[in-house]
């Protein structure tokens, strides 16, 4: 009868090493795990592992290394250790770091996304707080994670392991068509370019309240769909335009804050601020970027510095908040230096009892008439041309009819403004009205800028091709701030819970300067 071994630990280590070598293939010389790692894997002491290796070395052809590691002998025909086996021999923080990195590669954590708390990571990877801290610091040295105040970690936005997603949300109609203006269109184009450079996907959705319930639409299909909220979503970017959305933006922000994602809001509505409920729920995950609220004042200072004594304000949307705000800021700038001056207001809107100044109203702009005209022509085009061309032709047709009717309705007010010889500059509510004013003055043979200056807002493509001086709201800076907060890019990563305002600038062109061209 065979006597039991007096060294069961050594026999146990030998059995483990032989089983380890039976799965090895030395096509070339491979390095084995360290002795301490093998001891940990076999469940024996460090000294016992040395004794077992010494016995196996004599029988299986293992050559000694530098005193810390062993290598396979080249002439033996065994199998090399797999990466998984080698990983199991590493310390716990190395194994956890490898697991986190693998999840980043698989898209579980997107670039720019905030990692779960250490408590949640510990439950996922079965590791202690100290082990997780070491693993995150190891990944931070590899520029995979960024650590903030040793409280939380963020996947580096420059990481090329996977593509994160940013959800763009704009208010839409019942068919899923997103309301957009000149500024929001520029914002979307800039965001798309910046996301492409950063390796991010930009998903576009619409939102709308139906029966006191917020619903979401996919911009591509126009169908209602649940809002994505998986771990690959870095954050949400909402657009708050004046007038159309109403209180829907507040409902949207409250719902998004419950998803524990970063939320950035691009705001064009004067006076809108997040409610206290949103601020309490967001926990520094909420950020608002507003365009300049004193654009009219900046235009007024520009005109004052150029010696313009009395401007007139031309608007086609007198009842809108943004138009009223620009007019009030323009008046405020001039009354600071010349209290007696009264800037006239010319508008095609019908009087509504809330007049900013007493003036005669021009013909009322009838949206119903326009809608019926466009509808009849669209029905004709839809039956006679390709559907793809129909979409483009429909938009072009609306713009032509809109411009024509707007010009006809605004023309009496422009003639009234032109009759006042004391007015030296026309400040138009937007570039669209500025283009109408430019063609009107050209039709009347008025020398611009020698007789009258024209200034618009939004700095659109129309302003550029028509040589109109216009106020630029600096939308690229707004996009950089919004995206910087979502991907946790300094300095905007530290602005959680705050609202910042991006100032714009007046872009001067031929309509206010004779340097570029003596006449338009």
């Amino acid at each position: 009868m065979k006597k039991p071994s007096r060294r069961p630990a050594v026999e146990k280590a030998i059995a483990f090493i032989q089983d380890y070598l039976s799965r090895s293939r030395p096509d070339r010389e491979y390095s084995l795990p360290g002795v301490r790692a093998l001891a940990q894997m076999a469940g024996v002491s460090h000294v016992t592992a040395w004794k077992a290796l010494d016995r196996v070395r004599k029988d299986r052809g293992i050559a000694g290394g530098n005193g810390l590691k062993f290598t396979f002998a080249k002439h033996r025909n065994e199998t090399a250790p797999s990466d998984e086996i080698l990983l199991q021999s590493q310390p716990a923080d190395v194994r956890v770091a490898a697991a986190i990195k693998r999840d980043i590669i698989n898209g579980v954590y997107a670039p720019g996304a905030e990692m779960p708390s250490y408590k949640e990571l510990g439950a996922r990877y079965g590791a202690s707080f100290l082990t997780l801290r070491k693993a995150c610091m190891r990944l931070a040295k590899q520029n995979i994670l960024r650590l903030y105040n040793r409280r939380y970690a963020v996947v580096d936005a420059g990481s090329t392991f996977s593509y994160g997603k940013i959800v763009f949300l704009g208010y839409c109609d019942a068919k899923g068509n997103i309301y957009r203006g000149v500024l929001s269109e520029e914002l979307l184009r800039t965001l798309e370019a910046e996301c492409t450079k950063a390796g991010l996907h930009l998903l576009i959705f619409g939102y709308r309240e139906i029966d006191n319930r917020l619903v979401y639409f996919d911009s591509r299909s126009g169908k209602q769909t649940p809002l994505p909220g998986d771990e690959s979503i870095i954050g949400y970017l909402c657009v708050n335009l004046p007038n159309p959305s109403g209180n829907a933006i507040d409902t949207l922000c409250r719902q998004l804050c419950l998803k524990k994602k970063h939320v950035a809001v691009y705001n064009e509505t004067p006076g809108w601020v997040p409610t206290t409920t949103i601020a309490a729920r967001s926990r520094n995950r909420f950020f608002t970027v507003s365009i300049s609220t004193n654009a009219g004042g900046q235009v007024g200072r520009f005109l004052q510095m150029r010696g313009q004594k009395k401007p007139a304000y031309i608007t086609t949307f007198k009842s809108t908040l943004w138009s009223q705000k620009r007019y009030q800021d323009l008046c405020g700038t001039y009354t600071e230096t010349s209290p007696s001056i009264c800037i006239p207001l010319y508008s095609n809107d019908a009087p509504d009892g809330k007049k900013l100044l007493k003036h005669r109203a021009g013909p009322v702009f009838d949206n119903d008439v326009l809608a019926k005209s466009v509808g009849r022509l669209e029905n004709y085009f839809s039956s006679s041309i390709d559907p793809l061309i129909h979409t483009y032709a429909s938009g072009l047709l609306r713009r032509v009819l809109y411009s024509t009717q707007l010009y006809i309705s605004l023309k009496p007010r422009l003639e009234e403004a032109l009759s006042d010889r004391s007015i030296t500059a026309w400040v138009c509510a937007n570039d669209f009205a500025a283009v109408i004013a430019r063609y009107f003055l050209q039709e009347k043979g008025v020398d611009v800028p020698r007789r009258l200056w024209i200034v618009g807002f939004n700095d659109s493509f129309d302003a550029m091709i028509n040589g109109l001086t216009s106020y630029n709201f600096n939308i690229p800076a707004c996009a950089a701030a919004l995206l910087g907060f979502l991907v946790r890019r300094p300095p905007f990563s530290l602005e959680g819970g705050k609202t910042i305002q991006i100032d714009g600038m007046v872009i001067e062109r031929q309509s206010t300067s004779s340097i570029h061209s003596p006449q338009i």
Side-chain angles (χ1 to χ4, degrees):
M1 182 177 179
K2 187 176 180 180
K3 294 182 180 181
S5 173
R6 294 183 179 180
R7 297 178 178 179
V10 175
E11 297 295 336
K12 176 183 176 181
I14 290 174
F16 174 82
I17 293 172
Q18 288 177 343
D19 179 66
Y20 190 95
L21 293 176
S22 67
R23 302 192 298 267
S24 305
R25 189 192 65 231
D27 296 333
R28 57 179 183 273
E29 191 171 334
Y30 287 95
S31 176
L32 283 175
V35 178
R36 292 185 181 276
L38 283 173
Q40 184 179 6
M41 295 167 64
V44 298
S45 67
H46 178 218
V47 176
T48 302
W50 268 108
K51 292 179 180 179
L53 282 169
D54 185 59
R55 286 179 54 178
V56 174
R57 179 179 61 83
K58 297 175 181 178
D59 299 334
R60 299 291 301 272
I62 299 178
N66 57 2
L68 296 177
K69 295 196 175 189
F70 285 81
T71 56
F72 289 115
K74 294 181 180 180
H75 63 278
R76 292 291 181 183
N77 187 23
E78 282 109 18
T79 55
S82 65
D83 293 338
E84 195 66 32
I85 294 176
L86 290 174
L87 181 61
Q88 293 302 320
S89 68
Q90 300 299 318
D93 63 304
V94 177
R95 298 197 302 271
V96 173
I100 294 175
K101 182 178 179 180
R102 182 170 58 249
D103 285 343
I104 294 175
I105 293 173
N106 294 333
V108 176
Y109 309 116
E114 182 178 331
M115 297 286 289
S117 65
Y118 285 117
K119 183 178 180 179
E120 294 172 326
L121 289 175
R124 182 183 180 96
Y125 299 105
S128 65
F129 173 80
L130 184 60
T131 300
L132 285 168
R133 278 295 302 168
K134 290 181 178 179
C136 290
M137 292 177 67
R138 185 179 294 274
L139 293 174
K141 291 180 180 179
Q142 301 175 24
N143 295 323
I144 297 175
L145 292 182
R146 284 185 282 129
L147 305 181
Y148 288 90
N149 300 326
R150 298 193 175 187
R151 291 182 297 177
Y152 62 93
V154 174
V155 182
D156 193 279
S159 174
T160 57
F161 296 116
S162 64
Y163 284 87
K165 300 172 185 175
I166 291 178
V167 179
F168 180 93
L169 290 159
Y171 193 76
C172 65
D173 59 17
K175 296 182 179 180
N177 299 314
I178 296 177
Y179 290 110
R180 58 192 187 273
V182 175
L183 300 182
S184 57
E185 284 186 352
E186 183 181 356
L187 175 72
L188 188 56
R189 288 194 298 268
T190 306
L191 284 172
E192 187 176 33
E194 292 298 323
C195 287
T196 301
K197 290 192 292 185
L200 303 171
H201 285 307
L202 186 65
L203 307 179
I204 303 176
F205 286 80
Y207 68 93
R208 182 179 181 83
E209 278 189 318
I210 299 179
D211 297 330
N212 296 323
R213 182 174 61 90
L214 204 63
V215 296
Y216 303 98
F217 295 83
D218 188 337
S219 65
R220 294 171 297 179
S221 62
K223 298 179 180 179
Q224 292 189 27
T225 181
L227 190 65
D230 56 85
E231 291 182 322
S232 65
I233 302 297
I234 296 175
Y236 301 93
L237 199 159
C238 315
V239 174
N240 182 26
L241 295 178
N243 300 322
S245 61
N247 297 324
I249 184 66
D250 295 323
T251 306
L252 174 67
C253 292
R254 284 194 294 270
Q255 291 189 8
L256 294 180
C257 288
L258 297 176
K259 294 182 176 293
K260 296 183 179 181
K261 301 282 187 180
H262 284 84
V263 180
V265 177
Y266 167 73
N267 177 43
E268 289 187 13
T269 304
W272 182 86
V273 292
T275 62
T276 54
T277 304
I278 296 174
R281 290 180 177 179
S282 62
R283 296 182 182 179
N284 294 329
R285 291 192 177 95
F286 195 86
F287 178 58
T288 305
V289 173
S290 295
I291 61 174
S292 176
T293 58
N294 191 31
Q298 290 180 267
V299 170
R301 285 191 290 272
F302 167 79
L303 294 175
Q304 282 184 323
M305 288 189 298
R306 298 305 180 92
Q308 296 300 311
K309 301 297 183 181
K310 184 180 179 181
Y313 188 72
I314 311 294
T315 179
T316 54
F317 307 97
K318 180 182 71 65
S319 59
T320 58
L321 292 176
W322 55 268
S323 181
Q324 294 179 11
K325 185 69 168 63
R326 292 173 189 178
Y327 174 69
Q328 292 167 358
D329 292 340
L330 180 65
C331 293
T333 302
Y334 270 84
T335 53
E336 288 178 0
T337 56
S338 304
S340 61
I341 191 172
C342 181
I343 298 177
L345 170 69
Y346 297 96
S347 170
N348 66 312
D349 284 2
D352 54 6
K354 298 180 180 179
K355 302 180 224 178
L356 297 176
L357 280 179
K358 292 182 179 180
H359 64 283
R360 298 193 307 274
V364 178
F365 176 61
D366 193 340
N367 287 292
D368 293 334
V369 173
L370 174 63
K372 292 178 181 177
S373 301
V374 172
R376 287 194 297 268
L377 289 173
E378 281 185 339
N379 291 334
Y380 170 75
F381 282 138
S382 62
S383 60
S384 58
I385 61 177
D386 187 271
L388 293 176
I389 304 177
H390 171 256
T391 302
Y392 175 78
S394 174
L396 184 61
L397 177 64
R398 285 179 177 273
R399 181 176 176 85
V400 171
L401 292 178
Y402 182 84
S403 304
T404 303
Q405 189 169 1
L406 198 60
Y407 177 80
I408 295 173
S409 62
L410 189 60
K411 188 175 180 180
R413 302 285 65 78
L414 297 178
E415 290 177 345
E416 183 181 350
L418 185 61
S419 64
D420 188 346
R421 303 292 295 182
S422 64
I423 295 175
T424 59
W426 284 3
V427 179
C428 301
N430 54 20
D431 289 337
F432 196 69
V435 171
I436 292 177
R438 173 212 182 259
Y439 281 110
F440 171 80
L441 293 176
Q442 189 178 46
E443 184 182 79
K444 295 293 183 179
V446 177
D447 191 347
V448 178
R450 287 193 177 96
R451 166 65 179 85
L452 272 175
W453 283 18
I454 301 178
V455 180
F457 290 86
N458 299 343
D459 193 28
S460 63
F461 181 73
D462 290 332
M464 287 188 285
I465 62 175
N466 288 283
L468 296 172
T469 295
S470 184
Y471 184 85
N472 186 303
F473 283 92
N474 203 0
I475 297 302
C478 295
L482 293 165
L483 193 60
F485 174 76
L486 293 179
V487 302
R488 316 303 295 154
R489 183 185 301 159
F492 304 108
S493 58
L494 307 176
E495 299 295 327
K498 298 181 181 179
T499 298
I500 67 171
Q501 179 177 303
I502 303 294
D503 288 329
M505 68 210 80
V506 176
I507 306 298
E508 187 173 11
R509 298 189 179 93
Q510 293 95 322
S511 66
T512 59
S513 174
S514 58
I515 297 176
H516 302 286
S517 175
Q519 184 175 352
I520 293 183

